[in-house]
Amino acid sequence: MTPPPQRLLVAVNPAASFGRNRAVGPAVVERLTREGFEVAMLREANFELLRRETESAFAQGTDGLIVVGGDGIVSLGVNLVAQTGVPLGMVATGTGNDFARGLGLPHDDPAAAIEALVAAVARPPHAVDAGVIRHGELRTWFANVVSTGFDAVVNERSNRMSRPRGASRYTIALVRELATFRPRTYTLTIDGVPRTQRAMLVSVANNSSFGGGMQIVPHADLTDGLLDVFIVHPLSRAGLIAVFPKVFAGRHTDHPAVEFVPAKHVRIEADDIVAYADGERIGPLPIDVEIVPGAVSIFR
């Protein structure tokens, strides 16, 4: 007896990259259908509606979830598939696409990304690590980076900006925040060891980059079972201006104000700081962050 075709859900974020790649979602569905898959496309007027519809469709069962967009919809996908065994695939069409970068998938060519996906769904999936954030009674999974400092403040500003429409929006927000940002006092508990730390930022990375290719932890590995805590110690405004451009290329790692700490569990406490994960707002500190090895199955 011929086995039934695999059922795939394709969730498309129409607002990814400010709507410049609206034709990609239907192209993904057409290509997968041509390959013999049973495909259901989800594409709604706004992201929150898409989230609800995707959650509902996923709960009814599928052999794989494909997301089309940037790291925002990847976050949605990771939060659905983590620890379920259902594979996640992606066609990167966003402004950041950091998870696709970390996986070695095409991140700036939708046509190449579609072909890479078609090839990937024909192979056994791979397991990669994911982080989980506990904040109050809530639990949120992340694939890339948790931000809790200057980078999170920049994210807050960037998300309020309507222009420019592209990755440079983050850079402009960064420059504007430099004028007033001051170091914060953090209480960190890293694998059970507490420390009080003045810092410009404290980030927790599973992947190497965020913010559209900023190589915050160049040595991060999605399969090593570890998080990397990235700490920037207090700097003058001029010092921070000097360090941040190096982050884009990962050339900041030997700076005396920069510290990396491998960890499995991190608790972060500080006043007046809102945490972000993969560009999504989590909420005010404190948070607990933990790595879960092999939590996400990936078509790659």
Side-chain angles (χ1 to χ4, degrees):
M1 180 182 294
T2 303
Q6 279 191 291
R7 297 167 301 151
L8 298 177
L9 283 177
V10 177
V12 181
N13 181 7
S17 197
F18 300 95
R20 285 194 292 262
N21 293 307
R22 291 181 182 274
V24 177
V28 172
V29 171
E30 189 277 331
R31 188 72 173 83
L32 290 171
T33 302
R34 192 156 24 108
E35 292 294 318
F37 294 98
E38 182 182 306
V39 184
M41 182 169 69
L42 301 166
R43 186 172 57 171
E44 303 297 337
N46 61 67
F47 193 81
E48 284 311 309
L49 184 56
L50 177 64
R51 185 192 304 277
R52 291 198 298 270
E53 292 300 313
T54 305
E55 289 172 352
S56 176
F58 186 83
Q60 295 174 42
T62 185
D63 297 313
L65 173 63
I66 311 301
V67 294
V68 181
D71 286 318
I73 200 164
V74 167
S75 175
L76 168 60
V78 166
N79 276 275
L80 285 175
V81 306
Q83 293 188 311
T84 67
V86 176
L88 177 68
M90 67 202 69
V91 173
T93 64
T95 54
N97 303 325
D98 287 289
F99 197 42
R101 293 171 193 265
L103 292 168
L105 298 174
H107 59 269
D108 56 5
D109 183 343
I114 292 172
E115 293 309 310
L117 172 69
V118 169
V121 295
R123 299 190 292 261
H126 293 250
V128 300
D129 304 339
V132 63
I133 307 162
R134 290 179 174 83
H135 43 117
E137 298 299 314
L138 301 177
R139 188 173 79 155
T140 302
W141 292 90
F142 71 98
N144 297 317
V145 176
V146 180
S147 305
T148 67
F150 177 68
D151 47 351
V153 172
V154 171
N155 244 324
E156 286 266 89
R157 178 183 281 270
S158 176
N159 286 346
R160 292 194 301 266
M161 294 166 58
S162 59
R163 294 182 181 278
R165 294 192 166 193
S168 61
R169 187 173 60 164
Y170 185 92
T171 306
I172 292 170
L174 184 155
V175 171
R176 290 177 178 173
E177 285 296 337
L178 279 171
T180 58
F181 190 81
R182 298 291 181 270
R184 304 308 207 261
T185 298
Y186 293 84
T187 299
L188 305 177
T189 306
I190 302 176
D191 287 341
V193 179
R195 62 192 275 189
T196 300
Q197 177 74 61
R198 291 278 288 170
M200 305 301 286
L201 66 84
V202 176
S203 293
V204 183
N206 180 46
N207 194 11
S208 59
S209 72
F210 80 138
M214 294 181 68
Q215 295 291 313
I216 188 170
V217 184
H219 56 272
D221 185 337
L222 287 165
T223 60
D224 65 357
L226 289 171
L227 299 165
D228 291 280
V229 185
F230 172 54
I231 302 169
V232 177
H233 294 256
L235 286 167
S236 65
R237 192 176 307 154
L240 190 60
I241 290 171
V243 167
F244 244 86
K246 296 182 179 181
V247 176
F248 285 91
R251 293 187 291 104
H252 61 296
T253 56
D254 59 353
H255 192 283
V258 169
E259 180 182 3
F260 298 96
V261 184
K264 293 186 176 181
H265 182 274
V266 185
R267 180 171 176 83
I268 309 174
E269 302 171 78
D271 295 330
D272 192 32
I273 288 289
V274 171
Y276 272 75
D278 296 352
E280 302 297 303
R281 197 178 197 272
I282 299 299
L285 300 181
I287 58 172
D288 288 273
V289 187
E290 184 178 0
I291 192 68
V292 182
V296 175
S297 186
I298 295 286
F299 289 126
R300 61 178 292 194

